[in-house]
Structure formats: structure tokens, C-alpha cells
Amino acid sequence: MAITSANQLELLQTAEAVAREKMIDPGLVVEAMEESLARAAKSRYGAEMDIRVSIDRKTGKATFTRVRTVVEDEELENYQAEFTVEQAKQYMESPEVGQQYIEEVPPVEMGRIAAQSAKQVILQKVREAERDRQYDEFHDRVGTIINGLVKREEYGNVIVDVGRGEAILRRNEKIGRESYRPNDRIRCFIKDVRRETRGPQIFLSRTAPEFMAELFKMEVPEIYDGIIDIKAVARDPGSRAKIAVISHDGSIDPVGACVGMRGSRVQAVVNELQGEKIDIIPWNEDQPTFLVNALQPAEVTKVVLDEEAGKIEVVVPDEQLSLAIGRRGQNVRLASQLTALDIDIMTEAEESERRQKEFEERTKLFMDTLDLDEFFAQLLVSEGFTNLEEVAYVEVDELLVIDGVDEDTANELQARARDFIEAQNKAALDAARELGVEDSLVAFEGLTPQMIEALAKDGVLTLEDFATCADWELAGGWTNVDGERVKDDGVLEPFGMTLETAQDMVMTARIVLGWVDPAELETAAEEEAGEEGASDEEAEA
């Protein structure tokens, strides 16, 4: 096939037709044609030559050119596409390294094989362009709801026609035992779009918490307008869900707005989710208050929050325990997901029993260590004293408020407590030294003798050993294993060590050892603060 004036315009018409059909830029099709013609020309003139083809976007005329680049003498490798400065002088006035000499060559006639090759190149380019367009289109829609038609079901996975492509709804992303027939309408949440060699893979979900949030946004105008915010969603797909909402307008009730007139709004979401029961909960910045709301319909009598451990204890009336836990632990599990806290639920009787046990343990501690009778030890516990350190180092006035305690008795109590603590400290240090602890660790500020003994038992014997510890190894922490929070015990956790304190102590040890320059730390901290300030200003702007 020769490129003649008769078929020059036909090239452009073909490019436009293909582009229209595949919904891509006509320029990409023309580029593919240029590449295919250049490949055909190379098979005619020689594969070593740098042959390029340019098709005029208005007339369709194809211009074939040969390009040669000026290179250094020692870099000359391809005699067909490169030449030296001396060789170039017969073509150019003052050639320089890097310049190109372009000359037009006669157009080629495309044989059957060349034409087939050109067709393959064009098809490949068109496919790539189509995939890029499809990826760009759906990647921007991640996090939104899409409507589609079921094409088929393969091994429990549903293939969905979403207009300009196919998407997959995996078996574990379906609600309960949903089943679909070809041409059924389906509404899904676009969870992810990945670019793969065979084209973009669009992954859908109907179990994602975000799917419920988007459904409410469609049904509740106040959410769409930003007057009401969805702060958290927890779902047990197909069974039950909890959604926390807050209103930025005092005159609008967020729960009432989401429920709608006679429950019309929430019912529309329930119907879409195959009858999933939905608890709509008012969100509150105060975590204990929010948790009380999240555990509805159960009544809560007391909440104790442990922020460091991310745990919370909830006390409920005896008859409310099963309601608070829910069927198979569903209610408390959803409340835990909603608040991002570990929730321990106990009855009033269990809490009373635990408090009694703590009271007895503290009473026995004071009786054994301070040589007190039971009544006097109970007086100390009743006044809020929990350990020997509090008795030993508290202001004397706080002991004098106890009935029957005068100044001499208070001084005697403190003396006994200090003597016992000093004896404990000496015993702990002696045990640590027997294990091989060095003076560098003993002298390090912030570590008590009991802490040093615990570190020694764990193999931390020098300041260098301590400086290589991770903060969670000292203070403990939480990790997610298969979706469940698992506790990592820290060596110094029994002594009330927090992650923040552990970080500071380890960094101080590294500075003492000369591993870290304090000036560099200050500079890094200032830069980080500057970046945060700049980002805040951008956000405000």
C-alpha cells in the first residue's frame, strides 16, 4: 500500500473513526499510525536507521525523514543513525555534538506483512490509550457509588458492567448470601482501581462502611450540604450497623434528619442493605459520653477511661449485661469499632467485687509493710492512699486529716514507709548487679532500682543496651493481628511507663552516649514545626 494523495485523507478519517469508537484522543491514533509507518520504513531502508514519520493533522500527508545525530568520535556506534563532527561537515556548516541532521526520504510502499505489522501497532496503541482513559475515569471515582448491570457470576464473584468497563464484586464484598442474575441492576461502592497489564481492575464493595456513609449522603440532603457530618461508621454487613453523626446547625437534630419523616430516609438505606438494622447515634467529643451513646439501647451506669492503653471499662446494671454485649457480642463489637476503643463490660456486682478485692489487697499491703493493724490500714485505703510511695512522700498535713493520726504518728508512718522502700531499692539494685548491670545504667536519671532490675532480667545491662531499645519494648503497645488488637507487654510497663516517656528516655540515652547531636534534633523539630505551620496556613487559605 503506497501513501498517495488518494488515501492521505483516508488516514485521518480512519483515525477519527477509531478514536470516536474507543472514546480516546484522535491524536493518539495518528501517533500510532506514524509509529507503524516508521516501522515499515525501517524494514525497507534498514533497521539501524532512525526513520521517523510525521502525518499532517490537516491534510493527512505522511512525511518520511531520516535523522542522524552528531556524536564524539569515540562514541560512534551506529553508522546509520550517527556521524562524527568531521563526517557531518559535508552536510552542515558548523556541526556540534548533539545536533541532528534531518533529510527527507521517499515514502515506502507497504507490503502485506508490513501492513499487518502496522495494524498490530495501531491496535496495541489504541488498547493502551483505552486502558489509560478507563483507569483515569474510574480512579477519580474511587470512594463513590456506581450503578451497574450484572453480566455474570464466576465462583461467587460478580462481574458488573459499569458502562465503559467491567468491574468485579468479590464474594467477600457481598452482603450475606446475595445472589444476582444477568442484567440485574446493582449499586456498589468503588473501593479500589488498580492499573494492571491486562487493563484497569475496578474493585467494588457492598460491605464497606463507606458504602453506608455514601448511601446516607444520597438520602439526606443535610449530609450532602455539609450541615451534618458522618463521624464514624461500624458495620456487621447484612445484620446490624451503627453510624455516628453530628450537626453543625443547632436547630437541626442530626439523628432526626437521618431517620426522616416516618423513617423514610433510613428505610431507603436499610432496603438497599438487605434489611440491615441501623442505629443512628449522636457523636460527642467526650469519649465516655460518646461510648454511652454507642452502646444503645443498653443503659450505662459508669464509665472508666484509660487513655494510655486505649481501653475503657463500662459498668452496666446486672439485667442490662446481655443487652449491652448483644447477640454473639455484636453490640459491644460495633461500639468498639465506632469509638476505636477496647471495651470491657462488667456488671455492677462484678465492679463492686473488684473494688472490694482492691481494697483488701491495699489493706494487706499496708498491714504487712508498715506493721499496722487492719483498722488503721483500712483508714489509709479509705483516704485514697494506694501505695507506699504516697504514704512516704506525701505532705504530713494529708496524713493528719485521718482520724486518730497526730504529728508523731504521721512521722512514724512516713519513716516506716521510707525504710521499707529503701530496703526494697537496695535489694533490687543488689539483684541487678548480680545479673551484671553496669554503673552507666544505674546512674541514668529516671530509672528506679526496680526498673533497673526488670531491665537486667530482660538482658538490658548497659546504657548502650538501653539506647537501642524501641519505645514499645519498654512501655508496651498494641498491634493489629488479623483485624484484632493484640497487646505487646513492655519491660517497664508495670511501672507506669508511657510511650512518650520511653521515647524521651531512649533519646536522652542516645544523646548522653554521643550517638545523636542535640542541635540536629532541635533543627529537625523546628523544620517540622515550620512545615506544620505552613500546612495549617494553606488549609486556612
Side-chain angles (χ1 to χ4, degrees):
M1 182 185 79
I3 305 296
T4 62
S5 56
N7 59 20
Q8 285 173 0
L9 283 173
E10 194 178 330
L11 277 177
L12 292 181
Q13 289 167 357
T14 304
E16 286 178 7
V18 171
R20 252 195 321 271
E21 182 187 344
K22 301 294 184 182
M23 302 288 291
I24 59 175
D25 181 8
L28 293 172
V29 183
V30 176
E31 284 174 17
M33 289 178 169
E34 290 173 341
E35 188 178 321
S36 62
L37 289 172
R39 188 174 292 188
K42 282 183 181 181
S43 65
R44 162 78 182 277
Y45 289 112
E48 298 295 318
M49 286 193 183
D50 185 359
I51 302 291
R52 302 179 189 180
V53 178
S54 174
I55 296 176
D56 190 294
R57 299 308 195 259
K58 292 182 179 178
T59 64
K61 182 183 178 183
T63 304
F64 290 71
T65 55
R66 178 188 181 188
V67 179
R68 280 185 281 183
T69 307
V70 181
V71 297
E72 300 280 1
D73 292 3
E74 61 273 12
E75 293 179 1
L76 183 63
E77 293 180 358
N78 183 355
Y79 293 92
Q80 299 290 353
E82 299 169 343
F83 50 17
T84 64
V85 175
E86 282 299 319
Q87 293 169 342
K89 284 180 178 176
Q90 57 183 308
Y91 303 102
M92 306 164 73
E93 285 186 14
S94 52
E96 294 180 7
V97 173
Q99 284 186 324
Q100 291 183 331
Y101 176 70
I102 301 172
E103 59 180 333
E104 194 169 336
V105 295
V108 299
E109 288 189 8
M110 295 179 70
R112 185 178 60 81
I113 295 174
Q116 189 67 25
S117 174
K119 183 180 178 184
Q120 290 298 324
V121 171
I122 293 170
L123 286 174
Q124 180 64 26
K125 281 282 185 182
V126 168
R127 265 192 231 108
E128 287 175 6
E130 192 177 9
R131 287 171 185 167
D132 288 342
R133 177 201 58 74
Q134 197 178 45
Y135 175 81
D136 292 338
E137 178 185 342
F138 287 101
H139 187 263
D140 291 339
R141 296 175 66 182
V142 169
T144 62
I145 287 177
I146 192 168
N147 294 310
L149 286 175
V150 174
K151 290 190 78 174
R152 61 189 180 278
E153 195 162 351
E154 299 174 350
Y155 308 107
N157 302 323
V158 179
I159 309 302
V160 181
D161 182 353
V162 289
R164 296 177 186 170
E166 284 186 357
I168 182 169
L169 177 66
R170 288 180 170 166
R171 186 182 345 184
N172 61 333
E173 297 291 348
K174 294 193 295 183
I175 297 173
R177 297 179 180 177
E178 284 181 327
S179 61
Y180 296 96
R181 296 177 180 176
N183 296 320
D184 279 356
R185 288 198 167 275
I186 188 171
R187 184 184 284 182
C188 299
F189 177 78
I190 302 179
K191 193 173 184 180
D192 191 18
V193 178
R194 298 177 203 158
R195 194 192 293 271
E196 296 184 4
T197 51
R198 58 186 176 182
Q201 292 287 295
I202 305 161
F203 296 97
L204 305 177
S205 175
R206 284 175 56 80
T207 61
E210 297 88 350
F211 182 45
M212 176 182 286
E214 287 297 312
L215 287 172
F216 268 103
K217 191 182 290 185
M218 293 170 66
E219 296 294 336
V220 184
E222 290 86 350
I223 295 176
Y224 183 82
D225 294 336
I227 299 169
I228 293 174
D229 268 351
I230 297 173
K231 302 294 285 187
V233 180
R235 288 183 66 192
D236 197 347
S239 176
R240 189 164 191 163
K242 291 180 184 284
I243 180 168
V245 291
I246 186 172
S247 173
H248 299 297
D249 185 337
S251 63
I252 294 177
D253 171 27
V255 176
C258 292
V259 171
M261 188 74 70
R262 295 180 183 175
S264 58
R265 291 175 175 177
V266 72
Q267 195 57 47
V269 178
V270 168
N271 292 341
E272 179 62 45
L273 299 177
Q274 306 293 323
E276 193 170 312
K277 294 183 179 68
I278 302 173
D279 296 334
I280 303 171
I281 295 157
W283 189 81
N284 196 300
E285 284 187 9
D286 181 55
Q287 280 190 316
T289 306
F290 179 38
L291 180 62
V292 170
N293 295 340
L295 281 170
Q296 292 177 2
E299 296 175 8
V300 176
T301 55
K302 186 178 178 183
V303 173
V304 181
L305 174 65
D306 183 352
E307 291 184 5
E308 290 177 7
K311 292 182 71 174
I312 200 160
E313 290 180 351
V314 176
V315 181
V316 297
D318 293 15
E319 68 277 5
Q320 293 276 317
L321 181 63
S322 59
L323 189 60
I325 294 173
R327 187 180 178 187
R328 296 177 183 171
Q330 186 183 64
N331 194 51
V332 69
R333 185 172 66 251
L334 290 175
S336 181
Q337 290 176 22
L338 202 68
T339 57
L341 290 167
D342 278 343
I343 302 171
D344 289 336
I345 293 184
M346 62 180 72
T347 63
E348 291 173 340
E350 289 171 337
E351 197 231 358
S352 175
E353 185 181 333
R354 191 190 67 176
R355 286 167 63 87
Q356 183 62 32
K357 187 178 178 183
E358 287 177 357
F359 187 86
E360 289 171 359
E361 286 173 353
R362 289 169 186 169
T363 300
K364 189 173 186 307
L365 170 71
F366 291 142
M367 288 171 64
D368 294 345
T369 57
L370 301 179
D371 192 22
L372 301 176
D373 59 30
E374 186 177 4
F375 177 74
F376 205 102
Q378 287 176 349
L379 278 177
L380 280 176
V381 178
S382 299
E383 287 296 330
F385 290 95
T386 60
N387 55 55
L388 284 177
E389 284 77 9
E390 290 179 1
V391 177
Y393 304 111
V394 79
E395 293 291 333
V396 177
D397 292 345
E398 293 194 32
L399 290 168
L400 294 176
V401 299
I402 302 173
D403 289 339
V405 175
D406 56 20
E407 194 165 336
D408 290 339
T409 308
N411 289 331
E412 176 63 22
L413 274 175
Q414 289 198 317
R416 289 184 189 181
R418 286 169 184 163
D419 288 344
F420 191 88
I421 290 169
E422 286 170 10
Q424 274 189 324
N425 290 346
K426 184 178 182 305
L429 273 181
D430 290 345
R433 289 190 190 282
E434 282 182 17
L435 290 167
V437 163
E438 294 186 5
D439 290 340
S440 60
L441 189 62
V442 174
F444 185 66
E445 189 177 349
L447 292 177
T448 66
Q450 286 76 17
M451 288 181 181
I452 294 167
E453 183 185 9
L455 288 168
K457 288 177 179 176
D458 201 56
V460 179
L461 304 175
T462 66
L463 191 59
E464 286 82 357
D465 294 341
F466 185 78
T468 58
C469 290
D471 51 11
W472 61 268
E473 290 178 303
L474 299 175
W478 295 84
T479 53
N480 281 321
V481 178
D482 297 330
E484 291 187 7
R485 281 162 60 86
V486 177
K487 184 75 177 69
D488 293 320
D489 294 327
V491 182
L492 302 181
E493 191 176 356
F495 305 98
M497 177 68 67
T498 64
L499 277 174
E500 189 175 358
T501 305
Q503 287 171 359
D504 291 342
M505 291 182 74
V506 169
M507 190 56 67
T508 302
R510 292 172 183 174
I511 292 170
V512 169
L513 292 167
W515 296 358
V516 175
D517 184 356
E520 290 180 4
L521 280 178
E522 287 178 14
T523 305
E526 287 172 4
E527 288 176 357
E528 189 175 335
E531 288 174 5
E532 286 179 2
S535 63
D536 289 344
E537 287 175 10
E538 287 174 8
E540 288 175 8

